[in-house]
Amino acid sequence: MRILIVEDESDLLAGIAKALREEGYAVDTSEEGEEGLYKATNWDYDAIVLDVMLPKLDGWEVLKRLRKTKKTPVLMLTARDGSRDRVRGLDGGADDYVIKPFDLSELLARLRALIRRSANQTRSQIQIGDVLIDYAARIVSLDGEPVTLTAREYSLVEYLALHRGEVVTRTALYEHLFDEDDSSLSNLLDVHVSNIRKKIGPEFITTRRGHGYCIEG
Ligand code: CA
């Protein structure tokens, strides 16, 4: 999953980005509205964390302009006393909000729920054959036994599971799993898939030659 964070308080931005990367998300950042809107419009993010008070273009304007072209889930960061802000945000096409100051764990939980909802996957667990994926705990189990996956491997499984039954192209996986600063070694994806197959079984992810990867529905 790839997330964009638009926030001009650099300590807060760094804190959110670090927490998300530790969870295996690919993270892009921006400290002002114009650049944030540019990135939001030009990449297919899985979710956007958008502050209201921003230099150059405020969060409302970013949201309004973004909604002309994209439905990317948006979680707004609003002020404590801004109940009018929250109504305005939800009316303006925001999908959720958290009130500053917030717990990072709450932000992460809301982001996970937002991403599941946007994939029409409202339950927090999904069973595919012998494999159980717990989105809330970010754990994959095989026959009831937890499988040790790296954060990136988990993200790959999660992304394919949220799109199960669909062939996900390599390009889409690169866009959603790696951020703009990741080195794009072309075989990295294959290495992750190969490791997942060793841990979960060779049939779990199928390769569609020339198209991409798929977890059968
Ligand atoms: Ca701000």
Side-chain angles (χ1 to χ4, degrees):
M1 299 294 164
R2 184 166 173 183
I3 313 285
L4 173 67
I5 311 166
V6 191
E7 166 61 77
D8 59 322
E9 290 169 52
S10 48
D11 287 352
L12 182 58
L13 177 64
I16 299 171
K18 179 167 179 281
L20 287 173
R21 288 195 178 108
E22 282 170 2
E23 296 279 311
Y25 293 97
V27 180
D28 292 347
T29 62
S30 179
E31 297 194 8
E32 44 97 342
E34 272 180 11
E35 187 196 51
L37 177 63
Y38 176 82
K39 289 185 178 181
T41 308
N42 285 281
W43 288 99
D44 223 358
Y45 291 102
D46 296 290
I48 298 168
V49 177
L50 179 61
D51 188 30
V52 170
M53 299 296 287
L54 290 168
K56 295 197 181 176
L57 211 56
D58 71 22
W60 306 126
E61 200 55 36
V62 172
L63 180 64
K64 193 172 132 194
R65 297 191 194 179
L66 178 69
R67 281 290 173 263
K68 289 179 182 165
T69 56
K70 288 213 174 236
K71 292 181 186 164
T72 315
V74 171
L75 186 147
M76 304 287 290
L77 305 180
T78 65
R80 184 201 294 275
D81 55 358
S83 61
R84 278 183 55 222
D85 279 0
R86 293 192 283 284
V87 172
R88 185 176 169 192
L90 295 171
D91 281 348
D95 299 272
D96 202 358
Y97 60 87
V98 293
I99 302 166
K100 287 179 167 181
F102 51 83
D103 273 348
L104 275 176
S105 57
E106 185 193 353
L107 180 76
L108 292 173
R110 284 178 179 272
L111 268 180
R112 286 193 295 267
L114 206 56
I115 291 168
R116 285 203 309 273
R117 281 208 301 276
S118 75
N120 292 319
Q121 174 71 50
T122 48
R123 287 177 309 152
S124 65
Q125 293 189 334
I126 172 178
Q127 183 86 44
I128 301 171
D130 301 336
V131 179
L132 179 74
I133 299 160
D134 184 328
Y135 296 119
R138 300 179 66 80
I139 289 172
V140 174
S141 312
L142 176 62
D143 289 327
E145 293 293 321
V147 179
T148 307
L149 296 177
T150 65
R152 206 35 78 72
E153 287 165 6
Y154 173 83
S155 297
L156 180 50
V157 169
E158 181 186 72
Y159 193 82
L160 289 173
L162 284 172
H163 297 86
R164 67 189 183 284
E166 300 169 26
V167 178
V168 181
T169 65
R170 296 174 59 86
T171 309
L173 286 171
Y174 273 109
E175 261 203 39
H176 288 275
L177 297 178
F178 302 100
D179 61 48
E180 57 194 358
D181 299 325
D182 275 318
S183 62
S184 53
L185 295 169
S186 61
N187 66 346
L188 213 52
L189 197 55
D190 304 301
V191 173
H192 290 310
V193 170
S194 160
N195 288 337
I196 292 165
R197 284 176 174 150
K198 281 178 202 151
K199 294 172 181 180
I200 302 182
E203 309 295 324
F204 184 57
I205 296 174
T206 53
T207 304
R208 302 288 181 84
R209 293 264 169 250
H211 298 285
Y213 295 104
C214 180
I215 291 178
E216 306 292 344

